[in-house]
Amino acid sequence: MDVSGLVWAGTLVALTAILLVDLLIIGRRPHEPSVRESSLWVGFYVALALVFGAGVWLASGPSAAGQFYTGWLTEYSLSVDNLFVFVIIMARFAVPRQYQQKVLLIGIVLALVMRGGFIAAGAALISQFSWVFYIFGAFLIYTAVNLARQGEPDEDEFTENVLIRWSRKALPISKDYDSAKLTTHENGRRLFTPMLIVMIAIGTTDLIFALDSIPAIFGITQEPYLVFTANVFALMGLRQLYFLLGGLLDRLIYLSYGLAVVLGFIGVKLVLEALADNNLPFINNGEHVGWAPHIPIWLSLTVILGTLLVATIASLVKSSRDRRRMLAEARR
């Protein structure tokens, strides 16, 4: 794709404007959104992504549009997995429901900034060193194996990282929240509120998830414009999706296994493409590996969509059976 600076600038301005409107709504009226409100916002952002993909199709053809849709779907599913950790963080730090919107939006902004940096670094590495796909692929396969072993995280497994523990000890922290403020006054002293610790927890979590998601999207497309926009559209509406899904997250018990399959598939795809374009002297004497195929984008989209669909349906069926069994046992 040959994306001009004008198109980049217009895209950044439009997406920033949407985020600012979102921030303005929260700043004026912090609240817990209703199911209807959340549904409308999520539907709006999904429709926006579909329309954007159609625009990519018209401007650059079906291949580019397919790369965008596949990348967006992958990043969206990984973002949903982020919500499990966000739920744990909110519960661990007892964040009042009416202030969780602000925490989530700031977390999303932090994620966008971090991913933007990773995308720029990844694009620079790929343009200079094609062998970096071996590293990306191996990392994704390693992540997939760990995800399949661990399953979904729960509150008991959440451990505070070094930065959070240091912040608790080194910074003067108040015991209670003061709305959604980061600082407050107590007995004439200015203190940080627990909201700062929550922001640090969200930010470091975003950093960890960015390490997984960026190699995954580069396994689908190497176009920086598509990588960036797929990430942005995947993160937009995540705040409303958090409130819309609510207790449904607990029922998606096989989502981690589905994501493990997706990450593993993309990791294998990256390694195969690296072999097909190989120029490392210690692999096949620096020659391309003829038997290694380039997996087409339509097959990637089919595998990813099918895996997520099976994982979701299987999760809901298993959760319904478990709930019926629990009710039957309670009646005995």
Side-chain angles (χ1 to χ4, degrees), residues 115-159:
R115 293 188 188 196
F118 278 118
I119 289 168
L125 282 172
I126 290 170
S127 66
Q128 296 295 321
F129 311 105
S130 60
W131 51 260
V132 77
F133 283 128
Y134 285 113
I135 298 176
F136 282 0
F139 178 73
L140 288 178
I141 294 171
Y142 170 79
T143 302
V145 171
N146 281 343
L147 190 58
R149 285 178 176 176
Q150 296 170 3
E152 295 298 349
D154 57 42
E155 190 171 352
D156 294 333
E157 295 176 350
F158 178 79
T159 55

Side-chain angles (χ1 to χ4, degrees), residues 28 36 123 132 149-150 191 285 309 331:
R28 293 184 60 184
R36 181 177 181 275
V132 77
R149 285 178 176 176
Q150 296 170 3
L191 304 175
N285 296 319
L309 188 61
R331 292 171 183 168

Side-chain angles (χ1 to χ4, degrees), residues 71 74-75 78 115 118-119 121-123 125-126 132-141 143 207-222 227 231 262-263 265-271 273:
T74 301
E75 294 299 304
L78 289 171
R115 293 188 188 196
F118 278 118
I119 289 168
L125 282 172
I126 290 170
V132 77
F133 283 128
Y134 285 113
I135 298 176
F136 282 0
F139 178 73
L140 288 178
I141 294 171
T143 302
L207 177 61
I208 293 170
F209 276 109
L211 292 174
D212 296 339
S213 65
I214 298 306
I217 186 69
F218 273 116
I220 294 167
T221 177
Q222 287 82 59
V227 171
N231 267 275
V262 169
L263 291 178
F265 169 77
I266 297 174
V268 171
K269 178 177 182 289
L270 276 173
V271 172
E273 292 186 357

